[in-house]
Amino acid sequence: MGGPATTSVPPDTFPDGHRPHDSDPKSPRWPACAPEPSQSMPLLERHEAQSLKITMEIEAGKEKSGKMQAQTGKSWSRRLYGAVSCITGDMKACGDWLKDKPLVFQFIDWVLRGISQVMFVSNPLSGLIMFAGFLVQSPWIALTCALGVIASTITALLLSQDRSAIAAGLYGYNGVLVGMLMAVFSAKGNYYWWLLLPVSLMSMTCPLFTSALASVFSKWDLPVFTLPFNLALTMYVAATGYYNHFFPAVLIQPATSVPNITWSEVDVRLLLQSIPVGVGQVYGCDNPWTGGLVMVALFLSSPLIFLHAVVGSALGVPAALSLATPFSDIYAGLWNYNSCLSCIAIGGMFYALTWQTFLLAVTCALFTAYAGGTLANMLSVFGVPSGTWPFCLSSLVFLLLTTNNDAIYRLPLSKVTYPEANRAFYLTQKGKQPKSSCDV
């Protein structure tokens, strides 16, 4: 029949008949893999490699954290800059936001800008701070100020004047001065309620003077400054005078004797105090706290206006001392306020700020101070105050200056905003000018 029976053994079975366990390392089913390099390293080298890896991870985390902190810091800086820019300068964003709001809110903005425009500032927050200073001086003065600017602004609206100029306060600031200075020069004192009638009427003449003068001055691209106020105040005081029965003005007359001046009695503290007093005297206020609040309002809107206001007011002191002016007039800031306004006007407002125009502003401030003494003596013969005639006439003379120096650049009137923006515009225009082939 057949040969002896044989049993075939599977190749993966040992001769004794059992199968190897699948997990046996020697099993052919065990996957072959290369040993991990780190396990083949000596223990010391492996520890150093792990430490280096951890250090690199920590440094990467720190770098990422630093970048996140830098981005957060930049974000906060942008937010802070945005918040500050909303309340400084001319607060253009506020004016734009109010354009579609009810008229009453826009009118409040126009009134506050009119209050600050006396100092070449179109900032409602600055105007509010200044009005607070007027309340410190006298609530009656603040009332006549409010009445003057409201009457003047409403008149400009009724005359259909340029709405953007009204919104910037350019038709209100002369009314501010008319209202306040009529109260200052009233011999009836505070709370003479009948005075509110001529205050309203004379303030209403300011838009008329402004519009008429602007049509003439536009030929030379010149501002009207406070000439409407000077015309209205001079007309009122000259028409009434000291002996008027209803609206008597304070007595103004020329000096009739040589003042007794003892130089050893000069008070340096009061001389220094005359600087903020002189700034406040722009509004007819002799309270140093009022002047201080006006200076705060100026700094909020434009640090450059603040700087020139202080410099201009300070320059009035040596000018007055050089002419042996009575100390009481110097302490009261009567020699400071015109030079303060002139220094602002020339130093960065209507001229782009450079070191040349700064020197020009200082010169104009001194010129204005001496012109103030001259006009005060001349107008006292007629019994009328000098007001801001010295500032207007002196500043107009310096604005009509012609020169070949490119650094003395007078801005177009339509581009005038505030000194910082004016200088930026000047630098932009300077960069656009083509260079000569001879320039290196």
Side-chain angles (χ1 to χ4, degrees):
M1 296 271 309
T6 59
T7 305
S8 61
V9 179
D12 57 347
T13 304
F14 286 105
D16 57 0
H18 79 275
R19 290 175 176 273
H21 196 274
D22 291 343
S23 61
D24 194 336
K26 296 181 179 179
S27 171
R29 296 185 181 184
W30 182 266
C33 60
E36 187 178 351
S38 61
Q39 293 180 354
S40 62
M41 293 182 180
L43 181 61
L44 181 59
E45 292 182 4
R46 190 187 310 168
H47 178 69
E48 289 178 353
Q50 291 177 351
S51 298
L52 180 61
K53 183 178 180 181
I54 294 173
T55 303
M56 292 175 64
E57 290 178 353
I58 293 175
E59 290 179 353
K62 286 182 179 180
E63 184 178 354
K64 184 177 181 181
S65 176
K67 288 182 179 179
M68 292 179 64
Q69 290 179 355
Q71 291 176 354
T72 304
K74 289 181 179 179
S75 176
W76 277 105
S77 299
R78 291 194 195 98
R79 291 179 184 178
L80 180 61
Y81 176 78
V84 171
S85 63
C86 286
I87 61 174
T88 57
D90 56 3
M91 288 186 67
K92 187 176 182 298
C94 176
D96 294 339
W97 179 76
L98 287 171
K99 284 182 179 179
D100 58 347
K101 300 299 182 291
L103 184 61
V104 63
F105 296 109
Q106 297 183 48
F107 189 80
I108 293 173
D109 179 68
W110 302 344
V111 166
L112 292 176
R113 289 177 187 271
I115 292 174
S116 62
Q117 269 289 7
V118 176
M119 304 292 293
F120 304 102
V121 169
S122 179
N123 186 306
L125 184 57
S126 295
L128 186 62
I129 296 173
M130 291 177 182
F131 190 77
F134 304 155
L135 289 171
V136 173
Q137 173 74 30
S138 167
W140 172 248
I141 294 290
L143 175 62
T144 57
C145 162
L147 181 60
V149 66
I150 290 173
S152 182
T153 304
I154 290 177
T155 304
L157 288 171
L158 294 176
L159 293 175
S160 300
Q161 298 300 298
D162 182 61
R163 183 59 69 92
S164 62
I166 296 174
L170 295 175
Y171 281 94
Y173 70 94
N174 282 291
V176 170
L177 292 177
V178 168
M180 298 181 73
L181 271 298
M182 283 179 64
V184 169
F185 287 106
S186 174
K188 287 286 189 177
N190 292 341
Y191 303 104
Y192 180 59
W193 298 105
W194 287 107
L195 184 67
L196 298 181
L197 177 61
V199 164
S200 301
L201 294 176
M202 297 309 300
S203 297
M204 292 173 68
T205 66
C206 291
L208 299 173
F209 288 131
T210 299
S211 181
L213 290 171
S215 64
V216 176
F217 285 9
S218 62
K219 298 179 192 241
W220 298 279
D221 201 30
L222 293 173
V224 299
F225 288 134
T226 54
L227 284 174
F229 151 69
N230 287 315
L231 291 170
L233 181 67
T234 302
M235 186 167 62
Y236 169 77
V237 175
T240 55
Y242 178 71
Y243 298 103
N244 187 273
H245 182 72
F246 294 116
F247 306 107
V250 296
L251 181 61
I252 299 175
Q253 56 185 2
T256 56
S257 61
V258 179
N260 185 16
I261 296 177
T262 304
W263 291 100
S264 60
E265 295 179 358
V266 65
D267 192 330
V268 177
R269 182 183 63 86
L270 292 178
L271 288 180
L272 294 175
Q273 183 178 284
S274 70
I275 296 175
V277 171
V279 175
Q281 277 287 12
V282 172
Y283 294 91
C285 300
D286 59 359
N287 189 316
W289 291 105
T290 299
L293 284 173
V294 172
M295 292 167 67
V296 169
L298 296 181
F299 185 82
L300 174 68
S301 175
S302 169
L304 289 177
I305 289 182
F306 166 81
L307 172 65
H308 286 86
V310 173
V311 170
S313 182
L315 288 172
V317 176
L321 291 173
S322 67
L323 294 180
T325 304
F327 296 150
S328 59
D329 291 348
I330 303 175
Y331 299 155
L334 298 180
W335 275 70
N336 303 43
Y337 69 94
N338 277 298
S339 56
C340 168
L341 289 172
S342 293
C343 195
I344 297 173
I346 304 302
M349 181 53 66
F350 296 98
Y351 281 109
L353 182 62
T354 59
W355 68 265
Q356 292 93 336
T357 55
F358 177 76
L359 294 179
L360 191 67
V362 170
T363 305
C364 183
L366 289 171
F367 181 88
T368 303
Y370 289 115
T374 302
L375 290 174
N377 290 332
M378 292 173 60
L379 294 176
S380 65
V381 176
F382 302 98
V384 295
S386 61
T388 57
W389 284 109
F391 149 65
C392 292
L393 299 178
S394 301
S395 297
L396 288 173
V397 167
F398 275 73
L399 287 179
L400 289 170
L401 174 71
T402 58
T403 177
N404 292 325
N405 191 337
D406 293 336
I408 302 178
Y409 176 76
R410 182 159 74 92
L411 289 94
L413 204 56
S414 60
K415 300 298 182 182
V416 172
T417 52
Y418 55 96
E420 289 81 359
N422 294 341
R423 176 165 172 78
F425 174 79
Y426 160 70
L427 294 176
T428 302
Q429 294 299 111
K430 185 178 179 181
K432 291 181 179 179
Q433 290 180 356
K435 292 186 178 181
S436 171
S437 58
C438 297
D439 294 340
V440 180

